[in-house]
Amino acid sequence: MRIPVSWLAEYADLPPDLTTEALDAALVESGLEVEEVDDLRGRVTGPLVVGRVASIEELTEFKKPIRHCHVEVGEAEPRSIICGARNFGEGDLVVVALPGAELPGGFRIASRKTYGRLSDGMICSARELGVSDDHEGIIVLPDGEVGADARPLVGLDDVVFELAITPDMGYCFSVRGIAREVAHRLGVAFTDPAAKATEPTATEVPPYPVRVETDGCTRFTLREVRDVDANAASPEWMAKRLAQAGMRPLGLAVDVTNYLMLELGHPLHAFDRDALEDVMVVRRARPGETLKTLDDVERMLDPEDMVICDGTGPLSLAGVMGGQTSEVGPNTRNVLIEAAHWNPVAIARTSRRHRLTSEASKRYERGADPALSLLAAQRAAELLVEYGGGTLVDEVADVDHREPAAPIVMPVDLPSRTVGVDYDRELVVSMLEAAGCTVVGGIVKEGTVEGGDVLTVTPASWRPDLTDPADLVEEVVRLHGYAHVPSATPRAIAGTGLTAAQRRRRRVARALADNGFVETYTFPFVSRDRADELGLDEKDPQREAVAVLNPLDDAAPLLRTTVLATLVNAVRLNLARGARDLAVFEEGLVFQPADGWTDLEVVELPVAKRPEDEAVAAAIRRLPVQPRHVAAVLCGQAVPAGVDAPGRAVDWADAIEAAEVVAEASGVTLDVAQGEAAPWHPGRCAALRVDGVVVGHAGELHPEVCERLGLPRRTAAMEMAISALPLQDLAPAPVISHFPVTLIDVALVVAESVPAGEVEAALREGAGDLLEDLHLFDVYRDAKLGEGRKSLAFKLELRAADRTLTNEEGVAVRDAAVAVAAERFGASIRV
């Protein structure tokens, strides 16, 4: 939120000698985040004065209308200035930048000849001065002294603070809230802007028939102004403040509602009364209803949306944005002002559902002050009457279903015990009262007060965030000042370092990165369609996903059951940005429903005290099982093409190699065999086993999956359950021999259906301890081998730790290895 210091000073009695730095510090100490300080006083340098247009000569010999003006600027002779704007006349007061001035963007003003005349200055528009985006004409001042400095008249004598309002300080989305905080921090007087209006009494007959049919609206008020010029120009002071706050003046009715929203923190809406039909109804939307909002978007309404309707249907998306059918237009004469209080959660969900964030929704979803609804409407009506010449009707509507704020009982010493700072009773009470609370010593029971060591605190209507004793403790500490809380570095407790599981996770990540993969992190939330996009079978357990009650994105409410489900999002994003050759991986949690979790009740744990052990255990039983997985995706070129090499595209073998990297880093032996699982290609998928247990799959993704997910064809992927791997805390050190290696090749003929990995495992088992390494280097098929037969050529590397192996020992190892393969698969040596 942008707030000018001049506006702030109207309600907080700022000292005359208060510096910008001191005010900045006061805002930060109040818990507000200062994002930017915009000193408007330095935006325009050099002479910027008030001028009076003495004469205008129309130059008609050019393609566009040009005016040669003589402007009095408090000097002996008027200045000759060329101007193309046409929204001013002789005698008008304008803003003139004289030679030597520099406008925003480094635009220097100098005397020069143009259009055959001397232009000795510049008549300025609001955009040229940087005070707003309005460039339809130059600024015409309502009054001012010719030759005087024009900066105060256009708002260039002010400093604007841009603040980031945290969710727990929603009341500071207003000048009222910020002024209250600053006044407390600086110890100066605070004047409540809400006191400018007196709340009227609701009449038996409202200004317009209204009916509230939803509990999401706790207060609904209406005031009506008739025969008003709703589109009149707003007063200069109001337009200037709106521009400084980042809003463009649009017309009196809209400007008044925007101005009061910024000042009081309570949104309002102006209806064209003559555009309404029948009774105004506040209700939930009905299936199939639509509304065209003020941003010119036709929106399909959800039954959870709250809407304001008349006989024709929805008029406004309550608390978020109005509709076009009842907006204030050029012919509006009778204005109906609505101010209401809506359920914050409902407004937040509507805003998120429609991806529509407005200034109104920002305030409502953080909790606007329901006590201000009628006051804000009354103040808006009075401003319309004052500046639009209308008549305020006597009828008042106020449908009030507010519940009194629930009192909070807090021990007097709770802030001291929580923070470690000695807060006496008087200070605690004064800080809570500064937060707007009503404080009574003791516990109030049936009208009597009992016990003096506790406080009964009733929060103010504008502090819906205060619901628990912990909230009150935070207010005491914040308002007293965080500077009073000593800062001490806690003593580090000697630990045992990383656990074995943590060390394994680091080894896996480091190993994949060393092999050319880039690590990424994705949000673990997926859409309900992701299981179909991955081609999962209807009975696949990965379809059983846990739904989040309050998801960050309504389109992705489920927790992932596979890391690939979210990793593909990162791949698609990089592909959309122009990347083509990708190798990415992610290590993280997946979420699987606990056994029988649907039969367990939701447990609400208290925050004011420690929950009971049984309640904690019940909550833990509902938690999903969260094993850790690692997944990798590869696409494009595995080896880039060069001038002397054709390059190589990614294939299924690269995904298997990634799995082997994970296994090696984890200290386990991986068995690779033909497999079948979604989302992989059924003929190019490998099942990954450790100790006979399937721990993952690797291979090429199914072509239909690639098409649905927007991935390149032949994309390869791997996913393994790290939590399912045996934990190897200390890996045995390898035995390093200085004796030479013995190399032996062996080619075995086996049936086409026999996997090469299983033949390799048999050879390893038969070769024994002298085998140092074994790998497949050739696959040969020929009719001479027999129908349905293939030849697998392996290279055996043999080495002993204490001697050089003889040829006879090498041959014996080879024969033993071949014997195991022959016994299991009928393998024979190819000659």
Side-chain angles (χ1 to χ4, degrees):
M1 176 175 173
R2 289 174 59 86
I3 177 169
V5 173
S6 61
W7 200 351
L8 184 65
E10 186 173 335
Y11 303 113
D13 189 14
L14 303 181
D17 58 347
L18 182 68
T19 64
T20 301
E21 292 75 16
L23 181 56
D24 187 319
L27 289 167
V28 172
E29 289 169 5
S30 298
L32 297 166
E33 298 178 15
V34 178
E35 290 196 329
E36 183 182 0
V37 180
D38 188 3
D39 192 341
L40 304 181
R41 297 169 298 186
R43 187 168 289 182
V44 177
T45 60
L48 187 72
V49 300
V50 177
R52 177 183 288 112
V53 180
S55 66
I56 299 176
E57 177 189 359
E58 301 287 348
L59 304 182
T60 59
E61 63 267 30
F62 303 102
K63 292 183 179 180
K64 62 179 180 178
I66 297 296
R67 289 174 146 189
H68 178 216
C69 307
H70 285 86
V71 184
E72 299 171 355
V73 293
E75 299 173 344
E77 296 293 332
R79 294 265 184 165
S80 169
I81 299 176
I82 296 295
C83 183
R86 310 193 62 79
N87 66 315
F88 65 97
E90 293 180 356
D92 283 345
L93 295 175
V94 295
V95 179
V96 181
L98 298 178
E102 184 174 336
L103 304 186
F107 184 67
R108 295 178 178 274
I109 305 300
S111 296
R112 62 191 181 95
K113 191 172 182 179
T114 181
Y115 295 101
R117 304 291 194 281
L118 176 66
S119 187
D120 198 20
M122 178 177 175
I123 304 175
C124 302
S125 70
R127 190 169 72 179
E128 288 163 343
L129 295 177
V131 296
S132 79
D133 293 330
D134 186 10
H135 195 57
E136 294 183 0
I138 56 92
I139 299 174
V140 178
L141 300 172
D143 51 47
E145 180 184 349
V146 175
D149 188 1
R151 288 174 178 81
L153 301 177
V154 294
L156 289 176
D157 61 337
D158 214 338
V159 177
V160 178
F161 282 83
E162 184 163 353
L163 307 177
I165 309 301
T166 54
D168 62 327
M169 297 184 73
Y171 62 93
C172 284
F173 251 123
S174 67
V175 177
R176 182 193 189 210
I178 298 171
R180 181 185 281 111
E181 290 291 334
V182 170
H184 169 79
R185 182 59 51 195
L186 297 178
V188 299
F190 166 70
T191 302
D192 193 344
K196 288 186 175 182
T198 302
E199 183 173 285
T201 304
T203 57
E204 185 175 347
V205 178
Y208 193 90
V210 61
R211 187 169 67 249
V212 177
E213 297 179 349
T214 173
D215 58 0
C217 178
T218 55
R219 194 176 189 188
F220 191 86
T221 67
L222 293 174
R223 293 295 274 138
E224 182 184 352
V225 180
R226 294 179 182 170
D227 297 322
V228 64
D229 186 357
N231 295 285
S234 299
E236 196 68 28
W237 60 267
M238 183 183 295
K240 182 174 73 172
R241 284 185 172 175
L242 288 173
Q244 289 175 334
M247 288 187 168
R248 185 165 60 93
L250 299 171
L252 184 61
V254 176
D255 290 351
V256 164
T257 57
N258 285 338
Y259 176 81
L260 291 176
M261 177 183 67
L262 294 173
E263 183 167 90
L264 301 176
H266 197 299
L268 302 100
H269 187 69
F271 291 95
D272 184 341
R273 190 195 190 285
D274 298 330
L276 306 180
E277 297 182 15
D278 203 8
V279 179
M280 180 177 283
V281 181
V282 181
R283 59 170 172 82
R284 301 281 180 171
R286 293 167 183 161
E289 284 187 320
T290 61
L291 173 66
K292 195 168 189 177
T293 46
L294 293 175
D295 58 352
D296 203 32
V297 175
E298 187 82 23
R299 301 185 184 277
M300 179 64 68
L301 301 180
D302 188 274
E304 288 191 9
D305 295 333
M306 289 186 291
V307 290
I308 301 174
C309 309
D310 69 352
T312 64
L315 302 170
S316 172
L317 193 57
V320 180
M321 186 174 286
Q324 291 189 355
T325 58
S326 60
E327 69 174 318
V328 173
N331 301 319
T332 300
R333 298 298 301 171
N334 300 316
V335 176
L336 197 63
I337 302 168
E338 167 258 316
H341 184 262
W342 310 98
N343 180 281
V345 175
I347 298 301
R349 288 179 175 173
T350 295
S351 176
R352 212 177 305 169
R353 186 181 303 116
H354 293 280
R355 291 179 172 81
L356 179 59
T357 300
S358 64
E359 291 296 326
S361 67
K362 289 178 186 177
R363 288 161 175 81
Y364 276 129
E365 68 185 32
R366 287 166 172 80
D369 186 355
L372 288 186
S373 296
L374 189 50
L375 275 170
Q378 177 69 21
R379 177 76 176 128
E382 291 174 354
L383 288 172
L384 282 179
V385 170
E386 181 177 356
Y387 296 103
T391 302
L392 179 60
V393 303
D394 295 333
E395 290 81 9
V396 179
D398 186 7
V399 182
D400 193 350
H401 298 308
R402 286 177 292 166
E403 295 289 340
I408 306 169
V409 177
M410 182 189 78
V412 176
D413 63 344
L414 183 60
S416 299
R417 288 190 285 111
T418 303
V419 182
V421 176
D422 186 17
Y423 299 108
D424 59 38
R425 181 191 185 92
E426 182 179 353
L427 188 145
V428 171
V429 171
S430 65
M431 292 301 104
L432 292 176
E433 289 177 342
C437 301
T438 302
V439 184
V440 177
I443 301 176
V444 180
K445 291 184 178 179
E446 298 180 356
T448 62
V449 180
E450 302 177 5
D453 57 346
V454 297
L455 301 174
T456 298
V457 182
T458 305
S461 59
W462 43 272
R463 293 304 304 269
D465 57 302
L466 302 181
T467 58
D468 295 281
D471 299 326
L472 302 180
V473 170
E474 182 182 359
E475 284 303 290
V476 171
V477 178
R478 184 181 68 84
L479 292 173
H480 184 238
Y482 294 122
H484 293 92
V485 179
S487 177
T489 303
R491 187 179 64 182
I493 300 175
T496 57
L498 298 177
T499 65
Q502 290 171 331
R503 287 196 295 272
R504 178 173 65 183
R505 287 170 52 195
R506 291 195 177 186
R507 288 197 305 269
V508 167
R510 188 162 47 244
L512 286 171
D514 289 344
N515 280 269
F517 288 82
V518 177
E519 186 172 13
T520 183
Y521 294 96
T522 59
F523 284 120
F525 308 110
V526 297
S527 67
R528 297 186 184 276
D529 299 330
R530 185 47 53 92
D532 293 331
E533 293 170 343
L534 292 174
L536 301 182
D537 186 77
E538 290 297 330
K539 296 183 180 180
D540 194 314
Q542 293 181 116
R543 279 187 173 271
E544 298 180 15
V546 178
V548 181
L549 292 178
N550 56 339
L552 293 175
D553 184 355
D554 290 332
L558 304 181
L559 289 170
R560 67 187 179 190
T561 56
T562 164
V563 174
L564 277 178
T566 58
L567 183 57
V568 294
N569 295 336
V571 175
R572 289 195 304 188
L573 179 63
N574 282 275
L575 291 171
R577 297 295 186 271
R580 289 293 174 265
D581 305 329
L582 295 174
V584 298
F585 79 95
E586 179 179 0
E587 186 274 337
L589 298 174
V590 297
F591 304 85
Q592 302 164 354
D595 293 336
W597 72 279
T598 54
D599 300 327
L600 301 175
E601 295 184 0
V602 177
V603 180
E604 294 187 4
L605 301 178
V607 296
K609 62 178 182 179
R610 187 187 184 281
E612 300 293 334
D613 292 343
E614 183 179 347
V616 173
I620 292 176
R621 284 195 294 271
R622 278 188 57 87
L623 288 177
V625 180
Q626 302 174 49
R628 303 200 76 92
H629 283 204
V630 61
V633 176
L634 306 96
C635 61
Q637 293 290 309
V639 178
V643 294
D644 56 349
R648 181 179 67 82
V650 164
D651 61 19
W652 56 268
D654 294 298
I656 295 176
E657 183 179 354
E660 291 172 340
V661 169
V662 173
E664 182 179 357
S666 302
V668 298
T669 301
L670 188 69
D671 295 327
V672 180
Q674 180 71 32
E676 185 173 343
W680 285 274
H681 191 297
R684 299 167 185 163
C685 173
L688 311 175
R689 292 187 176 89
V690 174
D691 295 339
V693 178
V694 176
V695 296
H697 292 84
E700 183 181 307
L701 293 181
H702 196 289
E704 293 180 359
V705 172
C706 293
E707 183 177 354
R708 286 193 292 263
L709 293 175
L711 302 177
R713 295 181 65 85
R714 310 301 292 268
T715 295
M718 172 278 296
E719 181 159 353
M720 290 178 63
I722 292 183
S723 301
L725 303 181
L727 197 59
Q728 306 292 335
D729 190 5
L730 296 176
V735 177
I736 299 176
S737 172
H738 63 275
F739 291 97
V741 65
T742 299
L743 301 177
I744 298 179
D745 293 344
V746 60
L748 300 179
V749 178
V750 295
E752 184 69 45
S753 60
V754 177
E758 295 184 12
V759 176
E760 179 181 332
L763 292 174
R764 287 183 180 276
E765 181 180 336
D769 295 337
L770 293 179
L771 180 66
E772 186 175 87
D773 192 18
L774 167 69
H775 63 272
L776 175 72
F777 68 87
D778 183 54
V779 178
Y780 176 71
R781 294 176 176 86
D782 192 274
K784 296 179 181 179
L785 299 177
E787 185 178 355
R789 308 283 286 178
K790 62 182 177 182
S791 171
L792 304 176
F794 295 90
K795 183 177 292 292
L796 288 75
E797 296 183 10
L798 310 178
R799 194 193 310 259
D802 56 351
R803 67 188 186 280
T804 299
L805 295 178
T806 64
N807 290 337
E808 290 76 11
E809 289 177 308
V811 171
V813 170
R814 183 202 65 184
D815 292 344
V818 171
V820 175
E823 180 183 352
R824 291 185 182 176
F825 309 112
S828 60
I829 297 179
R830 178 164 64 95
V831 295

